[in-house]
């Protein structure tokens, strides 16, 4: 199974989840739900550091109340984000940390806070859709692959189709 087509499952009631919450508490970063007036800033940032697809997902996550987009800041500067319940219910993601801030525990802290929010909304499991860094999720949350082929993301429209048909 290719990593970018693989979905992972996380149990929100296992010991590893408690460990994740404790580890995240020690990370020196502020994490909070993003607010609607911040949407344009977050969209620009996600486009600059990640992808247009993720801009779309962030927009949907932020359109809900309560917001399904968490942001990580250091001294008021945006350094990371994480969304949940965005492309599909029960899904964590997308998430990303600015390249020069990686390896400091911020991705783990965002994951912990987002999964905690999902648990608070009644989920017992979370799905991490179409992962890239499966090892990161395995270490952080004991996430393991769902043995199935196919993904909600697999037949997305591609920008090239739009440009080919544009007048
Ligand atoms: C994945 C990502 C969010 C992790 O953020 P981060 O802040 O660097 O993560 P952390 O510092 O909390 O890392 C925790 C541990 O996971 C490891 N890790 C981080 N990224 C990893 C990766 N891509 N693959 C394997 N291990 C990884 C770290 O080395 C660290 O291990 P350590 O505790 O032994 O040092 C970040 O690398 C990123 O933005 N990647 C690009 C976007 C992306 O792939 N998002 C996920 C889409 S599903």
């Amino acid at each position: 199974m290719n990593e970018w087509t693989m979905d992972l499952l996380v149990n929100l009631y296992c010991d590893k989840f408690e460990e994740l919450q404790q580890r995240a508490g020690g990370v020196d970063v502020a994490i909070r739900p993003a607010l609607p007036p911040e949407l344009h800033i977050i969209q620009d940032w996600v486009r600059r550091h990640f992808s247009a697809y993720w801009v779309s997902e962030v927009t949907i996550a932020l359109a809900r109340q309560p917001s399904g987009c968490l942001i990580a800041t250091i001294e008021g500067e945006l350094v990371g984000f994480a969304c949940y319940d965005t492309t599909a219910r029960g899904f964590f993601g997308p998430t990303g940390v600015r390249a020069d801030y990686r390896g400091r525990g911020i991705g783990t802290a965002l994951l912990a806070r987002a999964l905690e929010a999902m648990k608070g909304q009644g989920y017992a499991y979370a799905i991490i859709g179409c992962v890239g860094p499966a090892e990161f999720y395995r270490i952080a949350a004991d996430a393991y692959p769902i043995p199935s082929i196919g993904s909600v993301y697999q037949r997305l429209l591609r920008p090239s189709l739009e440009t080919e048909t544009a007048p």
Side-chain angles (χ1 to χ4, degrees):
M1 220 181 324
N2 175 321
E3 280 212 328
W4 283 101
T5 60
M6 183 167 67
D7 292 338
L8 305 180
L9 193 64
V10 179
N11 184 337
L12 305 181
Y13 281 86
C14 66
D15 292 347
K16 188 78 179 184
F17 181 77
E18 305 300 330
E19 262 176 51
L20 172 65
Q21 299 303 318
Q22 280 166 15
R23 227 165 345 117
V27 181
D28 193 14
V29 67
I31 296 181
R32 64 169 172 84
L35 293 171
E38 300 170 315
L39 176 61
H40 62 294
I41 295 172
I42 297 165
Q43 286 173 322
D44 289 349
W45 186 91
V46 169
R47 186 175 286 105
R48 201 161 58 247
H49 294 284
F50 298 101
S51 76
Y53 287 108
W54 287 10
V55 173
S56 300
E57 290 185 292
V58 155
T59 306
I60 295 304
L62 240 153
R64 292 201 308 273
Q65 284 290 5
S67 166
C69 175
L70 300 176
I71 52 171
T73 62
I74 292 180
E75 292 173 7
E77 196 174 350
L78 184 55
V79 296
F81 78 104
C83 300
Y84 61 93
D85 272 351
T86 299
T87 290
R89 285 194 185 160
F91 272 54
F92 167 85
T95 187
V97 172
R98 213 174 84 179
D100 51 336
Y101 280 87
R102 288 180 195 161
R104 301 184 187 191
I106 298 169
T108 301
L110 280 162
L111 175 68
R113 285 288 299 275
L115 293 181
E116 193 183 13
M118 293 180 75
K119 188 173 179 176
Q121 291 189 18
Y123 292 107
Y125 290 86
I127 294 166
I128 302 171
C130 233
V131 294
E135 190 59 10
F136 165 70
Y137 293 113
R138 192 187 62 75
I139 293 168
D142 257 354
Y144 56 91
I146 299 173
S148 62
I149 294 173
S151 151
V152 66
Y153 294 101
Q154 71 188 348
R155 294 198 179 88
L156 295 182
L157 291 173
R158 299 287 157 198
S160 59
L161 293 178
E162 287 166 35
T163 47
E164 274 165 23
T165 55

